[in-house]
Amino acid sequence: TTAAFGVLEDPLFADVFGPGSRAEAAIAGTSSRLPAGLAVSGRVDRLLVTPDRVLVVDYKTNRPAPDRIEDADFAYRAQMAIYAAVLEEIFPGRRIEAALVWTDGPRLMPVPENMIARTLDQLASGH
């Protein structure tokens, strides 16, 4: 769609689509931050791995896109928190960043670290 191509050309997204980033990257594993027995095996839309950081991005097509990350569906926030927790295990010592790309806009919406931590706590306590 035109909106998706707009994301590719937007300078805000340069890192996500720049050299070294991968599309449809496989992620598999678990984390001590996840509820016991919960493991993930899937694909993320974009993954950027550098020596000091890892950026995981998932596309969402909701229309209209929410104005704030707090208004995004809990399932989306949980998905990104789980990815972040697993990536922490795979890439210890690197800063893990997660973001949603809303194709309606398009808009890159980072998921803050404190929201990831809060979401993982909610998952551990049964939401």
Side-chain angles (χ1 to χ4, degrees):
T1 68
T2 304
F5 288 118
V7 169
L8 291 172
E9 295 167 1
D10 188 320
L12 291 172
F13 300 93
D15 284 352
V16 178
F17 299 102
S21 69
R22 290 178 284 183
E24 296 292 320
I27 289 184
T30 189
S31 167
S32 60
R33 296 181 70 189
L34 296 179
L38 179 61
V40 78
S41 178
R43 293 196 175 278
V44 298
D45 289 321
R46 297 297 299 190
L47 185 68
L48 172 68
V49 178
T50 70
D52 62 337
R53 77 191 262 246
V54 176
L55 173 61
V56 58
V57 173
D58 205 53
Y59 305 146
K60 301 298 178 194
T61 56
N62 299 47
R63 291 177 180 271
D67 291 325
R68 305 172 320 131
I69 188 63
E70 293 82 2
D71 299 328
D73 191 296
F74 177 81
Y76 296 161
R77 296 193 317 263
Q79 174 189 23
M80 300 312 287
I82 291 167
Y83 288 158
V86 170
L87 288 166
E88 279 179 350
E89 299 290 330
I90 297 171
F91 299 101
R94 298 188 205 193
R95 188 172 75 251
I96 308 297
E97 299 174 14
L100 296 172
V101 169
W102 303 100
T103 57
D104 180 31
R107 186 176 328 149
L108 178 74
M109 193 174 283
V111 183
E113 266 185 62
N114 61 350
M115 178 175 282
I116 289 172
R118 196 166 53 247
T119 302
L120 291 172
D121 289 346
Q122 287 176 295
L123 290 169
S125 67
H127 180 47

